[in-house]
Amino acid sequence: PHREPLPRSMAVIRGYGRRYGWDRRAAGHLKPENALNRAAQLMQVGRAEEANQTLYDIVTESQPRSRRQWTKTLESIMLQLMEYSVDLRKANMVKEALHKYRAMCINTNVQSVEDVVRALVKSAEAKTEAARKDIDDAFARSVVDDLEEGGTEAPDTLLLEAAGAEQSRERSDRQMVVPWMKFLWEVYRVVLDIVKSHVKLETCYHDISALAFKFCLKYERFMEFRRLCDMLRQHMQALMKATTQRTANDVVLLNPDTTQRFLETRFVQLQTAVELRHWQEAYRTVEDIHTLISIAKKAPRPQTMAIYYDNLMQVFWVSGNYLYHAHALYRLYNLSVRQNRNLSADDAQMMASRLLLAALSIPVHDAGASTASAGGGTGASADIYGSATDLSSGEHAARHQRMASLLGYSSPARRNTLLAELQSKQVLDLCHDQLKGLFEVLEGEMAPLQLAGRLAPVFEFISQHQVLEEYAAPIRRVAIYRLLEQLGRVYDVMRVDDVEKVVGFASIAEVEQIALEALKTRALGVRFDHQRKCIRFETALFATNAMRQQLGAMSRQLATAIKMIKVIDGDTVDGSADPGLVRRYAAIELAKNSAVSDQEALLGRKAVIEERRTEHERKAAEAEKEAKRLAAIERTRKEAEEEERRKRDKERREKERLKRDMEERERADLLRLKREIDEKRGIEVKPDEEEQELAEGLDRQELLTKQREDQVKALKEQEKKLTATARRMDYMERAMRQKQWPLLEDLQRHEAEEKVRRGMETRQRAIEEARAKHGADLVIQGNIKSFEAVRLAYTADLLQRVEADFDAWAASERQRLVEEEQLAREEEERQRQHQAELEAQKRREEEEAAEAERRRRLEEAEQERREAEREAELQRVEERKRAKEREMAERGNSGRYVPPRPGGQAWTGAGFGSQNRAYERAPGPSFGSDAFGRREGYTKPGGPPGSAAFGNRSDAPRQQPPGAGPGPGPGANPGSGARPAPQGPRTKRFINSKK
C-alpha cells in the first residue's frame, strides 16, 4: 500500500541519523551487470575519468575467492575498461586490472585473457599511429632518445610556456606523440609480463614480442629495443632454471614446439637488431639462439641455420672480427651447397669468391688468427719476441671459445685451418678467374717487387662488384704485411722512398700502421726511423724457422749453380764456343781459385763479428740488469713514501670531516630547536639575526629549558581545551536529548496508529477474500453433484471390465507357469542323464588308465626279474669258474683228487646266496595284500569292496579288461611262467627288512 509522507520533523530525525551512521541502508557497490550502463551514462555526460574508475573498481574489488570467477559480463567490462584506459593513457590502471583479471581467468578461461590483451595492444597501436600521422615521420623517430627517462618536458621549455612564449612545432609535436609512444611501450611491457608463463598464452606471448620488435624498428627505438631484449632474456633464463614443470599450465622450454617458437622469436629479434645496427644486442641474441639450438631435441631447419649464419657473419664483420666472419661465411657456403637446390652456378661462384676473399682478409699478425702463417714468417718472429697469445689460456681464451661454440666448433678457429679446408674442397677452382691467383700471390712464394703489379687487376675486379668491394681494405692490409715480411728477409735497412715505390697500391701511412700493429703483436720486427727516413728490419736469421727458410733458399740456389757447372763441364770451351759461355766458365774458374781465401776471410770476419756481438750483448745485459735493479729499489722507496703520505692525509681528512659533520649536525639541531621554540612563542627572527646568533653560539641547556617550559605550557592549555570541549559536548548532548524526546514520542505514537490501521485493513481484506472464495466453492460443489449419478454408473461399468480383463490375464498366466514348470523339469531330466553319461564315461576312462598303468608296472617287474635272473646266472658261472680254478690249484699243490660237488657247484654257499637274492628280488604280492600292495577289504570311494578294479582276493569273479590274459594270483610261484605282479611299497619294505 501507498505510504503516507512523514512529517517534516520525522524526516529531519532520519536525516540526522543517517548523518551519524544510524541509517543501515548504506549504498553498496554496483553489480557487474549494471556497471557497463553506469559507465556509458558517465561517458555521455563527459565524465570519462569517473567512468573508467567505476569499471576499474569492479575489476579490482576485493572479494572472496568463491566470487572471484570469470563471467562473460566481466570480460565485457574488462574490454571496455581497456578501451577507456587507452583513451586516458592510464598505464598503471591497465597493469593492475590485467593482473587481477589474469588471476580470475587462470583456471577457467585463459583464452579470455588473450582476447583482452590483444584488444588492448590493437587499440594502443591504433591510437599511436593516429597521433603519428599528424607529424613528420623523421621527427617521430627522433623526438626523444629514451621514453622512460626523456619522455617529460625540459625545464627550459616549461619556463618558456609559463612565461607565455609561443610553442614551437617541435615541442607541440612532442607533446602529441611522445606520450602515446611511451604508453604503447608500457602496454607491451605489461602484456609480456602477463602472458609470459602460461602454456596456453605462449602463442600470444610470441606474437606480442614480434609486435614490440616492429614498434622498435618502426620508430627506431634503440634504448627500448635493448630493454625489450633484456626482458625476454630474463624470461628465457627463468624458464631454463625451472627444469621441472611445476604445474600443467607452466611453459616447458624443453618441449620441441616451445623451443621452435622461441627460436623464431629470437630470429625476429636478431633481424631487428641487424636493421637497427645494434650489433652488441645482435651478438647477445646470437648467443641466445645458440643456447636454444643446443637444448633443442631436433635439429633446426636448413633455412633457419642459413639465416643464423648470415646474421652471425654480419655481426662478426661489423665488430672487425675477420677470422670468425670468414668461418661463419664458410659454414653458410657449405650449408648452401649441400641443402639449397635452387642455388645457381653464378651464385655459387660469387659465394666461393667471397669466401676466398674473406679467408685471405684475416690478418696474419692477429694472435687469434693462426699460430704460424703459410710463409713461415710469423713463427720466426715469435721465436725472437716471444710466443703469441695462446688461445688456450689468457684473457681472450673464454671469448674465443664462446665465439667458436657459436659456429659449432669445439676449439677456437684458426686461419690456417680455414685455408687448408678451402684447398682440400677445391673452393679456389670455383672462384672467378681474376681471383684464382690471389691465393698464390698472398700465401705462396712472393716476389715483393712484382706484388703491386699482380694485385692491381684483383683490386680492379673487386671494385666492380658491390658484394666483394668491402674486402678490398682487409686484402690490402694483408698484402702490406706480406710485403713487409718478405722485405725483412732480404733487407736490414730500406729507404722510405723505395718502400713507397714498391707499395704502389697503398700509402706509406697505411704501411706504417700495419707495421705498428705487427710490432705490437710481435709478429714482425720493423722500426720506422723518420729522422733518417728509412725503415729498419730486425733480422731473424738465426731463429729456428727463419734459419730453416734461409737454408732452403740457399739449397735451391746451390742446386741451380751445380746444374750450371755440370752443363759447362760437359761442353768444350774453344774459340768457336759461345762468348757468354766462355765468360761464365772464366768466372767459375776464378771463383774456384779464390774460394779458399774468400772462405777463410769470411770465417775470420764471422768470428770477429760474433765475438764483438757477444761482448756487446753481455755488457748491455749487465747494464740493463743493474739499471732495472736500481730503478726497482728507487720505485719501491718512492711508492712506500707516497703510500705513507697518502695514508696520513687520508686519516687527517677523515678526522676533520667527522669533526665538521658533528659540528654541523650540532648547529643544525640547535638552530632547529631554537626555530621551533620561536615559532611556538610567536617570535619572528630574521635571517641576519640567526647568522649572528650562530656566530655568537647557542646554549643547548638554555634551549632545552625553554623547550620544556613550552611543552608544559602547551600541555596545560590542551587539558583546558579538552575540559571545555567535554563540557560543551555534554551540554549539547543533553539539550539534543531533551529536544528529541517529544519528537520521538510523536514518532512512536504515529507508527502505532499506522500499525493498527494497517492491521484493520488487512483483516477486513482477508474476510472479504474468504467470503468470495466460499461462494465460488459452493458453486463448484453444485456443479459436481449434478453429474454424480453418471460418475457412479461409469465407475461401476469400468470396474466390471477391469475385473474381467484381470481374470482372463490371471488364467493365461497360470497356464504359462504350468508349461514353464513342465519344460524346466524336462530340461532338468535331460541335464541329469547327460551328467550321468559323462560320469560313466569318466569312470571308464579312469579304469582304462588304471589297467594300462597296471600292465606297465607288470612289464617293468618282469623286466627286473629277468635282469635279476641273468645277473644270478652270471654270478653262478663266475663262482663255478673260480671254484674250478681253486680245485685245479689244490690238485697242483697236493697231488690228490677232489671230487666235484653235485651240479658243478663248489661248497661255498654261493648258490644259496643267489637263490636268496633271487627270491628277494622276485616280484609278487606280500601276505595280506593284492598285486598293488593293498590290503583286503580296502575300498576306493565310489566302488564296492572286493571290486575287480583293485585286484582284491574275494569270492567274486575277477573281471579282466578286454584282451587281457589271466594274471598271477596271490599265491603264484615267482619262478613260473606267469607274469609277476608289480611290487608295491609294502612289498619293498618287507624285502628290505629281510635283508
Side-chain angles (χ1 to χ4, degrees):
H2 177 70
R3 181 174 298 179
E4 296 180 358
L6 295 177
R8 188 173 183 276
S9 59
M10 300 298 102
V12 171
I13 294 175
R14 289 201 171 181
Y16 174 82
R18 188 181 302 114
R19 180 181 177 184
Y20 288 92
W22 290 357
D23 191 6
R24 298 181 181 180
R25 297 175 297 174
H29 295 283
L30 285 174
K31 293 183 179 180
E33 293 79 7
N34 303 329
L36 289 174
N37 297 331
R38 177 60 176 171
Q41 294 171 1
L42 291 173
M43 290 295 294
Q44 290 177 359
V45 297
R47 298 164 65 180
E49 292 279 353
E50 296 183 11
N52 189 52
Q53 185 67 35
T54 300
L55 298 180
Y56 176 77
D57 293 339
I58 291 295
V59 175
T60 60
E61 181 184 6
S62 298
Q63 293 181 358
R65 190 178 184 86
S66 58
R67 296 181 59 187
R68 301 292 294 175
Q69 295 181 359
W70 177 86
T71 59
K72 189 63 178 178
T73 304
L74 196 60
E75 181 179 354
S76 303
I77 292 175
M78 194 66 188
L79 291 172
Q80 196 67 38
L81 173 61
M82 294 298 104
E83 182 180 354
Y84 292 165
S85 298
V86 169
D87 294 337
L88 298 173
R89 294 199 298 268
K90 298 291 185 179
N92 293 330
M93 298 180 73
V94 168
K95 179 179 181 180
E96 185 67 24
L98 282 177
H99 278 285
K100 292 285 187 179
Y101 190 68
R102 182 182 183 274
M104 287 187 284
C105 301
I106 195 67
N107 296 322
T108 55
N109 190 2
V110 184
Q111 183 63 33
S112 178
V113 179
E114 181 176 354
D115 297 340
V116 169
V117 297
R118 287 185 184 274
L120 170 64
V121 172
K122 184 178 180 180
S123 178
E125 288 179 344
K127 292 291 184 180
T128 306
E129 183 65 20
R132 189 190 65 84
K133 287 181 179 179
D134 299 336
I135 63 172
D136 187 15
D137 291 340
F139 175 73
R141 292 191 294 267
S142 60
V143 285
V144 65
D145 293 334
D146 192 349
L147 293 176
E148 295 186 4
E149 297 180 0
T152 57
E153 291 289 339
D156 52 351
T157 58
L158 294 177
L159 290 175
L160 289 175
E161 181 182 3
E166 296 183 358
Q167 293 185 357
S168 62
R169 180 176 181 274
E170 179 181 356
R171 182 167 176 271
S172 61
D173 292 342
R174 181 182 292 111
Q175 290 179 349
M176 184 185 302
V177 177
V178 171
W180 281 111
M181 294 175 61
K182 184 176 181 181
F183 175 75
L184 181 58
W185 166 243
E186 291 293 334
V187 167
Y188 284 136
R189 292 180 58 183
V190 170
V191 170
L192 288 175
D193 186 62
I194 289 294
V195 302
K196 65 181 179 180
S197 60
H198 200 284
V199 66
K200 295 182 180 180
L201 300 175
E202 186 177 351
T203 304
C204 180
Y205 173 79
H206 294 289
D207 293 344
I208 299 301
S209 301
L211 293 176
F213 290 137
K214 290 181 181 178
F215 164 78
C216 297
L217 183 60
K218 183 176 182 179
Y219 298 102
E220 296 183 3
R221 306 311 307 166
F222 195 83
M223 297 299 295
E224 283 71 25
F225 177 73
R226 182 176 62 82
R227 291 192 180 98
L228 177 62
C229 295
D230 292 340
M231 180 171 59
L232 296 181
R233 190 172 295 112
Q234 291 175 2
H235 295 171
M236 189 179 73
Q237 290 174 357
L239 293 178
M240 294 179 65
K241 291 179 181 178
T243 56
T244 58
Q245 188 177 8
R246 295 183 295 272
T247 63
N249 294 327
D250 289 341
V251 177
V252 180
L253 193 58
L254 298 179
N255 188 3
D257 296 336
T258 301
T259 307
Q260 184 62 31
R261 294 191 187 97
F262 270 89
L263 273 176
E264 294 174 357
T265 302
R266 287 306 181 277
F267 275 112
V268 175
Q269 177 179 336
L270 178 60
Q271 189 67 27
T272 307
V274 171
E275 294 181 7
L276 287 175
R277 306 186 67 81
H278 196 327
W279 302 112
Q280 184 178 8
E281 197 58 47
Y283 181 74
R284 293 177 182 174
T285 306
V286 168
E287 289 183 336
D288 296 340
I289 293 174
H290 177 263
T291 303
L292 290 172
I293 292 175
S294 62
I295 67 174
K297 295 183 179 179
K298 60 180 181 180
R301 297 189 299 269
Q303 296 83 353
T304 302
M305 295 306 298
I307 298 174
Y308 171 73
Y309 288 130
D310 187 16
N311 289 281
L312 185 61
M313 181 180 64
Q314 296 183 40
V315 172
F316 284 139
W317 177 261
V318 173
S319 63
N321 196 332
Y322 302 128
L323 173 63
Y324 286 96
H325 165 78
H327 277 274
L329 182 57
Y330 175 64
R331 297 301 294 267
L332 178 61
Y333 174 78
N334 289 336
L335 186 64
S336 300
V337 171
R338 290 197 311 266
Q339 301 291 340
N340 191 0
R341 299 180 180 178
N342 299 325
L343 186 66
S344 62
D346 296 339
D347 294 340
Q349 188 178 24
M350 182 59 69
M351 287 190 67
S353 301
R354 187 180 182 187
L355 178 58
L356 175 61
L357 293 177
L360 294 177
S361 300
I362 303 173
V364 186
H365 57 273
D366 186 7
S370 61
T371 54
S373 64
T378 306
S381 301
D383 290 335
I384 295 175
Y385 298 104
S387 61
T389 304
D390 188 7
L391 292 180
S392 62
S393 60
E395 58 183 358
H396 301 294
R399 182 169 59 89
H400 278 277
Q401 186 65 36
R402 187 169 64 252
M403 289 188 293
S405 65
L406 296 178
L407 294 172
Y409 295 155
S410 58
S411 59
R414 303 283 184 179
R415 184 177 188 269
N416 292 341
T417 304
L418 179 59
L419 294 176
E421 288 285 339
L422 298 183
Q423 287 180 318
S424 63
K425 293 188 176 181
Q426 299 179 355
V427 178
L428 304 179
D429 300 337
L430 303 176
C431 300
H432 291 87
D433 297 335
Q434 293 83 350
L435 301 178
K436 290 183 178 180
L438 182 61
F439 184 84
E440 184 65 26
V441 171
L442 297 180
E443 301 298 327
E445 291 294 335
M446 180 182 292
L449 301 180
Q450 303 174 3
L451 181 63
R454 299 176 66 179
L455 288 178
V458 175
F459 286 126
E460 183 179 358
F461 174 77
I462 292 176
S463 62
Q464 295 176 358
H465 295 79
Q466 185 177 2
V467 180
L468 306 179
E469 188 177 2
E470 60 185 4
Y471 296 102
I475 291 293
R476 187 182 299 110
R477 296 167 66 88
V478 174
I480 293 172
Y481 175 82
R482 288 300 191 191
L483 179 64
L484 292 176
E485 186 180 29
Q486 294 295 329
L487 291 176
R489 295 177 181 176
V490 180
Y491 299 100
D492 288 337
V493 180
M494 193 173 181
R495 291 195 301 269
V496 175
D497 297 338
D498 297 337
V499 174
E500 191 172 3
K501 293 178 181 179
V502 174
V503 188
F505 55 87
S507 62
I508 197 66
E510 294 181 359
V511 175
E512 184 177 2
Q513 182 182 2
I514 298 301
L516 291 177
E517 292 178 359
L519 182 63
K520 182 180 179 181
T521 58
R522 297 187 177 185
L524 287 178
V526 77
R527 297 286 190 275
F528 272 78
D529 191 349
H530 291 282
Q531 184 177 4
R532 295 178 176 83
K533 297 183 179 180
C534 64
I535 300 177
R536 300 182 183 276
F537 299 94
E538 297 186 5
T539 179
L541 181 61
F542 297 100
T544 305
N545 294 336
M547 175 64 76
R548 186 181 299 111
Q549 295 170 7
Q550 189 71 17
L551 291 177
M554 186 175 67
S555 175
R556 290 190 293 271
Q557 298 295 333
L558 290 176
T560 305
I562 291 172
K563 184 177 180 181
M564 293 170 59
I565 292 172
K566 288 182 180 180
V567 172
I568 294 174
D569 291 341
D571 295 338
T572 302
V573 180
D574 51 11
S576 61
D578 186 7
L581 187 62
V582 173
R583 287 194 302 271
R584 188 182 300 171
Y585 180 76
I588 291 173
E589 289 297 330
L590 180 61
K592 288 182 179 179
N593 294 333
S594 62
V596 178
S597 60
D598 291 343
Q599 183 179 7
E600 291 178 355
L602 288 174
L603 291 176
R605 184 172 177 272
K606 179 181 178 181
V608 173
I609 291 174
E610 187 69 23
E611 183 178 357
R612 290 179 180 177
R613 188 178 69 176
T614 304
E615 183 67 19
H616 179 70
E617 290 177 354
R618 184 183 61 79
K619 290 181 180 179
E622 290 179 356
E624 184 179 1
K625 184 176 180 181
E626 183 64 20
K628 287 183 179 180
R629 187 181 64 82
L630 295 176
I633 294 173
E634 183 65 19
R635 185 169 59 254
T636 304
R637 183 183 62 79
K638 289 183 179 180
E639 288 178 356
E641 292 178 356
E642 183 67 20
E643 183 66 25
E644 185 66 23
R645 184 185 62 80
R646 286 197 299 267
K647 188 182 295 185
R648 290 195 302 269
D649 292 344
K650 183 178 180 181
E651 293 177 355
R652 179 179 54 78
R653 288 193 299 270
E654 184 67 21
K655 291 180 181 179
E656 292 177 356
R657 185 183 65 79
L658 294 175
K659 184 177 180 181
R660 286 195 304 271
D661 292 344
M662 292 179 63
E663 291 176 354
E664 289 293 335
R665 286 196 297 270
E666 182 71 18
R667 284 195 296 269
D669 293 341
L670 293 177
L671 184 59
R672 177 180 55 80
L673 184 59
K674 186 177 184 304
R675 287 176 180 173
E676 292 178 357
I677 295 173
D678 293 341
E679 289 177 359
K680 291 180 179 179
R681 295 188 176 185
I683 301 175
E684 183 177 0
V685 181
K686 299 181 180 180
D688 53 353
E689 295 180 359
E690 289 185 353
E691 295 294 338
Q692 184 178 0
E693 290 179 356
L694 287 176
E696 295 175 356
L698 298 174
D699 189 0
R700 170 178 286 274
Q701 189 63 34
E702 182 180 357
L703 293 176
L704 291 176
T705 303
K706 292 181 179 179
Q707 183 184 18
R708 181 60 181 171
E709 293 176 354
D710 293 342
Q711 290 176 354
V712 172
K713 184 177 180 181
L715 183 61
K716 291 181 179 179
E717 291 179 355
Q718 185 177 5
E719 290 179 355
K720 291 180 180 179
K721 290 180 180 179
L722 289 175
T723 303
T725 303
R727 187 179 295 108
R728 185 170 59 256
M729 289 295 295
D730 189 15
Y731 292 157
M732 289 293 297
E733 185 66 21
R734 186 180 296 109
M736 288 172 59
R737 295 286 180 87
Q738 292 176 357
K739 192 68 176 178
Q740 185 183 8
W741 184 252
L743 298 176
L744 290 175
E745 289 180 349
D746 295 342
L747 176 63
Q748 184 180 6
R749 184 171 57 257
H750 183 271
E751 288 180 352
E753 294 175 354
E754 183 69 20
K755 184 176 180 181
V756 171
R757 186 181 61 80
R758 287 197 301 269
M760 294 297 295
E761 291 178 355
T762 303
R763 181 172 177 277
Q764 185 65 27
R765 189 167 52 253
I767 291 173
E768 292 176 356
E769 290 176 356
R771 288 176 179 174
K773 185 175 181 302
H774 179 68
D777 292 342
L778 291 177
V779 173
I780 293 173
Q781 183 181 6
N783 295 334
I784 291 174
K785 288 182 178 181
S786 63
F787 59 84
E788 181 68 20
V790 178
R791 183 185 66 81
L792 292 177
Y794 174 75
T795 304
D797 184 52
L798 180 61
L799 289 176
Q800 289 177 3
R801 290 198 305 269
V802 169
E803 289 178 359
D805 293 340
F806 177 75
D807 294 340
W809 174 81
S812 63
E813 285 295 316
R814 283 193 295 272
Q815 182 64 26
R816 185 180 59 80
L817 292 176
V818 170
E819 293 176 357
E820 289 180 356
E821 290 178 359
Q822 183 64 25
L823 292 175
R825 284 195 297 273
E826 292 176 358
E827 182 65 23
E828 183 178 358
E829 183 63 25
R830 285 195 300 271
Q831 292 290 339
R832 186 182 62 79
Q833 291 176 2
H834 180 66
Q835 185 69 21
E837 291 175 358
L838 293 178
E839 292 178 357
Q841 184 179 358
K842 183 177 180 181
R843 284 196 298 272
R844 285 194 300 272
E845 291 176 355
E846 291 178 353
E847 290 174 0
E848 291 175 0
E851 183 62 23
E853 180 68 21
R854 187 180 65 81
R855 289 179 181 179
R856 186 184 61 79
R857 291 184 180 179
L858 290 176
E859 290 175 0
E860 291 178 356
E862 181 64 21
Q863 186 67 22
E864 291 178 358
R865 185 182 63 77
R866 291 177 182 175
E867 291 291 335
E869 289 178 356
R870 189 180 298 109
E871 290 179 3
E873 185 62 27
L874 291 176
Q875 189 172 4
R876 285 196 297 272
V877 172
E878 186 67 27
E879 288 294 335
R880 285 198 298 271
K881 185 177 179 181
R882 285 198 297 270
K884 188 66 175 177
E885 289 176 358
R886 284 196 301 272
E887 184 178 356
M888 294 297 293
E890 290 177 358
R891 287 181 183 180
N893 293 332
S894 61
R896 56 194 182 117
Y897 174 74
V898 179
R901 297 297 180 186
Q905 296 183 2
W907 298 94
T908 58
F912 296 100
S914 299
Q915 292 176 1
N916 290 336
R917 283 193 298 274
Y919 176 74
E920 292 171 0
R921 293 182 181 179
S926 61
F927 296 99
S929 64
D930 58 359
F932 294 96
R934 299 186 180 93
R935 294 183 179 178
E936 295 181 1
Y938 175 77
T939 304
K940 183 179 178 181
S947 176
F950 298 92
N952 296 332
R953 290 185 296 174
S954 62
D955 298 336
R958 184 181 182 91
Q959 297 181 2
Q960 298 290 344
N973 188 7
S976 62
R979 181 177 299 172
Q983 294 183 4
R986 299 183 182 276
T987 306
K988 291 182 179 180
R989 287 199 297 270
F990 175 71
I991 295 173
N992 292 333
S993 65
K994 289 183 65 178
K995 290 182 180 181

